[in-house]
Amino acid sequence: MFYDADGRLRSLLASWTDVAAPDVFIEIAAGRSFVRPDDLATLAALIEQIERSHGG
């Protein structure tokens, strides 16, 4: 968390900074993958849920 130029308290995801330990997948992929497997599975589940809600 930090204060912006106007004095408002703001926050960032720890994953957007170097505070948290590096993601193991990102380290191993070394820039060769656009998405992490967990994120891809989450996206697939979301798409499936949207399709079901629209009668697909």
Side-chain angles (χ1 to χ4, degrees), residues 2-8 10:
F2 66 97
Y3 289 97
D4 67 11
D6 296 324
R8 291 177 292 201
R10 301 291 186 165

Side-chain angles (χ1 to χ4, degrees), residues 1-5 7-13 17:
M1 301 191 78
F2 66 97
Y3 289 97
D4 67 11
R8 291 177 292 201
L9 186 61
R10 301 291 186 165
S11 64
L12 294 172
L13 295 174
T17 71

Side-chain angles (χ1 to χ4, degrees), residues 25-35:
F25 177 80
I26 292 173
E27 292 290 312
I28 293 171
R32 295 182 300 257
S33 179
F34 292 110
V35 295

Side-chain angles (χ1 to χ4, degrees), residues 18 23 52:
D18 59 358
D23 183 286
R52 278 183 295 182

